[in-house]
Amino acid sequence: MSMTPPGLFEHARQERLKKEAPLAARMRPRTLQEYIGQTHLLAPGRLLRRAIQADRLSSLIFYGPPGTGKTTLASVIANTTSSAFVTLNAVMAGLADLKAVTAEAQRKQGEYGQRTILFIDEVHRWNRAQQDALLPWVENGTVILIGATTENPYFTVNRALVSRSRVFQLKPLDGEEVRQVMRQALEDPERGYGKLSVSMDPEAMAHLANVANGDARAALNALELAVETTPPGEDGVIHVTLAVAEESIQRRAVLYDREGDCHFDTISAFIKSMRGSDPDAVFYWLAKMVYAGEDPRFIFRRMLIFASEDIGMADPHAVPFVQSCAEAFDRVGLPEGHFPLAHAALYCATAPKSNSVLGFFDALKLVEKEREGEVPNHLRDASRDKKGFGHGVGYRYPHEYRDHWVAQQYLPTSLQGRVFYQPGNLGYESTLADQIRQRRELQLAALRERTQCPPQEILTFSPTEKRSEQWLARTVDSLTGFLAQLRKELFQRHPLQRHERVLDLTADSGLLTWEAVRQTPEGGVWALVRTPEARQFLLEEAANLPDLRRPQVLVGTPEELPDLLQKQGNQDLRFDLILGRNALGRPPHREIILKTLARLLEPKGGTLALAETLPQRGQRLSQLLENHSALPPEIPQAEEQLYQKKDDPLLNWDVEELLQEARNAGFPHPHATLLDSHRTQLLPPQVLERWMNPQQPGSYAQRLLDAGLPQELLPVFSSAMAALAGKTVTIHSVVALLEAHANKEDRS
């Protein structure tokens, strides 16, 4: 009698489980190429992608709402790394499991030199004692931690663990990314429905993508239900219509945790909107809280505080009015209790007495039907994680401005300009109509001004590398004078996110390179130099930094960048910021270079920032002389003619030519700011001799003669200039700070 090996049964069981698993589990990406979304972390050139590909991971924490790919990203790492990969779920695992994992990790490290990556799902579920037990093993390198959490790690994970980990914030997928996930499932013959004949109407796919609200798992679950419950037609095709899609995913689940970030961020936005006297935003945030199931009594308590704190004696009736509404709510109950609730909110924002609270229900319908808008970063609660994620940064406190009001946006980006509240024409409210209309106009005007846009949310965090940061700080601070001012201007105008990719076109001196490296610890910097010697110098300087933080150095010209990147294997790399100083050269090279750079920018908001010296506005050599007014008038006249010559493109161009070349290269709305430069410079005799030698092709003297300077006056000018040999002079120039974006949308 033959015996069947037990392993065969287990293999068969595993295969059956794979086939019977939900679609969302079957379609979980196995490689970075299959992974969709989170481009701010995983696009080519980002630090996290490079670390995964190089198998050089440090401890990580993935933070984000459900369905954004935290566990999936961990499984991709498991498929990529040569380290041992162990998974624990914090809901079910305890200290005994952790001890077993660390003991095995020590054995593998000692016997085989193999690292162990420990993935803990729902890491926030572990209590403080359990997290403390993990800390020594992370600190001594026995395990590399990858934690996944839907809760703010700055609040729910031990500070010591957070400080030793890179924190990456995952965002909900946008509509197109959710559609890509569904198309991937429909086309995959092995794990999805590629072997079936499935026809899905565009409206049906758009509906599922919209209602899924950035959650890929929800979209795949709905798609699975739609396909599995729809019988094939006579032609054998499963036809998923809009009606089928609506049945498959009937109601949007608003992301809201009554004890987590969304709770604090939304009530923060609600209060700040009331303080900002924006009734439209007040209705929206109130609708979100009500729809998500927030306790109305909690909202009333916050409004009672607000009535004293932010209205006070400006309207002494605010507290009793809100209190009366709260008592009315207790007496009436839901759903009619929405009226006094919204009425109190409207009173706090504008103090009118009217029945215009009906606008609240328009906002509630919007929340039910349209894609949920995220809380803008400047309105988020800053009390716990301002340093880590930058929440609340950019919020403008209305009480610090005239009339206790300032034009800033309180609605989500997708709803800016939306009107819910229309002032009536009776009683006290009739006096508000003009004021609210004017404030709305000012808000829209502020939206168009980039300077009014608050800073973006910080999406990544790294533990501080003291040695590297100290070296970078010394390197950056070592420069003074105009070049330091120029660098400061460029980076202040274009603040970087920590995860962004930067290309420095003129890295020979390192002027901009090291500041870019300092500001992008989870991103990447590519540095273009002209010579191998400059490359070697930069690499020697970068030896002070860890491998993954060092700039990638390319040798060549801007026109050669696509080929240089392709040789590196980075042909798909796109940059969030490209910067440089005097990087464009002379025409026609300028326009060719600009077209090349346009193709290398990130399409969704990449920025080009260049500092180009304008020769037409620069110093004339004769003006360096103290007695320049005593020169024959033909000399300054020839100099002016020199800078106006149509056939001398080296000198005959100004900011308008620069902007037009940018437009020709595909930048629709370039902008330039002029910056005055005054620098002191020693004039060696050999430099003056080169400038004033008429036999030297392209010299200043030869150009003056070509511009009409009489031959007999050249010795007069040369003799006067010779008096400056070996002296220090102040040279004035004008620099154009060119800013251009990859598309019409502002980067902010």
Side-chain angles (χ1 to χ4, degrees), residues 334-589:
L334 291 172
E336 290 84 356
H338 284 152
F339 284 94
L341 178 66
H343 200 172
L346 185 60
Y347 190 101
C348 288
T350 65
K353 298 174 182 176
S354 76
N355 63 350
S356 300
V357 292
L358 287 172
F360 163 69
F361 295 97
D362 294 334
L364 186 58
K365 290 177 182 177
L366 182 72
V367 174
E368 293 173 348
K369 293 180 180 179
E370 296 192 9
R371 178 181 171 87
E372 177 187 351
E374 282 195 340
V375 177
N377 189 54
H378 66 297
L379 300 185
R380 294 194 177 199
D381 176 32
S383 62
R384 300 170 300 161
D385 49 23
K386 181 176 181 179
K387 181 178 179 181
F389 290 139
H391 288 175
V393 174
Y395 169 63
R396 307 174 81 194
Y397 192 59
H399 293 311
E400 294 178 350
Y401 295 84
R402 182 179 177 181
D403 297 329
H404 300 264
W405 184 86
V406 60
Q408 66 180 332
Q409 296 302 318
Y410 296 96
L411 281 167
T413 302
S414 60
L415 295 177
Q416 285 171 3
R418 188 67 179 262
V419 172
F420 298 116
Y421 171 59
Q422 292 288 359
N425 55 6
L426 297 176
Y428 172 72
E429 191 176 30
S430 64
T431 65
L432 298 175
D434 288 342
Q435 182 189 63
I436 289 177
R437 176 183 56 78
Q438 291 171 3
R439 286 179 173 176
R440 284 171 177 162
E441 291 173 354
L442 289 171
Q443 283 179 314
L444 289 174
L447 179 62
R448 300 187 189 102
E449 292 291 332
R450 286 177 54 80
T451 56
Q452 302 294 332
C453 296
Q456 295 178 329
E457 182 180 20
I458 299 171
L459 300 178
T460 59
F461 168 80
S462 292
T464 301
E465 300 164 348
K466 290 186 178 180
R467 179 183 170 189
S468 300
E469 294 303 323
Q470 288 172 353
W471 180 82
L472 284 170
R474 286 197 303 269
T475 303
V476 169
D477 291 342
S478 64
L479 199 62
T480 59
F482 176 72
L483 291 180
Q485 179 192 358
L486 180 63
R487 181 181 59 199
K488 181 180 178 182
E489 286 282 344
L490 281 171
F491 283 100
Q492 279 187 344
R493 290 169 184 271
H494 310 286
L496 287 164
Q497 289 274 281
R498 296 168 62 92
H499 61 272
E500 291 187 325
R501 298 153 297 181
V502 182
L503 170 61
D504 180 3
L505 296 170
T506 51
D508 295 69
S509 67
L511 169 68
L512 306 175
T513 308
W514 303 121
E515 178 64 18
V517 169
R518 191 175 70 85
Q519 291 194 25
T520 57
E522 290 92 28
V525 175
W526 275 254
L528 180 67
V529 296
R530 299 304 174 103
T531 65
E533 292 77 16
R535 178 180 185 274
Q536 185 60 33
F537 174 76
L538 215 59
L539 291 177
E540 289 173 0
E541 288 280 284
N544 293 284
L545 299 172
D547 289 349
L548 287 175
R549 288 201 65 184
R550 295 173 186 172
Q552 306 289 310
V553 186
L554 307 170
V555 181
T557 64
E559 298 99 314
E560 298 170 327
L561 274 167
D563 292 334
L564 296 173
L565 291 170
Q566 186 171 14
K567 289 177 183 177
Q568 252 195 355
N570 287 320
Q571 60 270 19
D572 296 327
L573 181 63
R574 295 297 178 267
F575 297 99
D576 302 289
L577 177 64
I578 298 177
L579 42 74
R581 173 174 173 260
N582 293 332
L584 297 181
R586 65 181 71 184
H589 298 286

Side-chain angles (χ1 to χ4, degrees), residues 39-88:
T39 55
H40 64 286
L41 304 179
L42 295 171
R46 304 278 195 219
L47 178 99
L48 181 57
R49 186 185 187 97
R50 289 188 282 121
I52 293 172
Q53 291 173 330
D55 199 7
R56 298 284 300 275
L57 290 172
S58 57
S59 291
L60 310 172
I61 295 177
F62 297 144
Y63 160 54
T68 51
K70 300 182 295 297
T71 305
T72 297
L73 189 50
S75 69
V76 168
I77 293 172
N79 294 334
T80 305
T81 183
S82 60
S83 303
F85 195 93
V86 183
T87 298
L88 293 178

Side-chain angles (χ1 to χ4, degrees), residues 307 311-321 347:
I311 298 176
M313 291 303 294
D315 185 348
H317 301 293
V319 172
F321 182 85
Y347 190 101

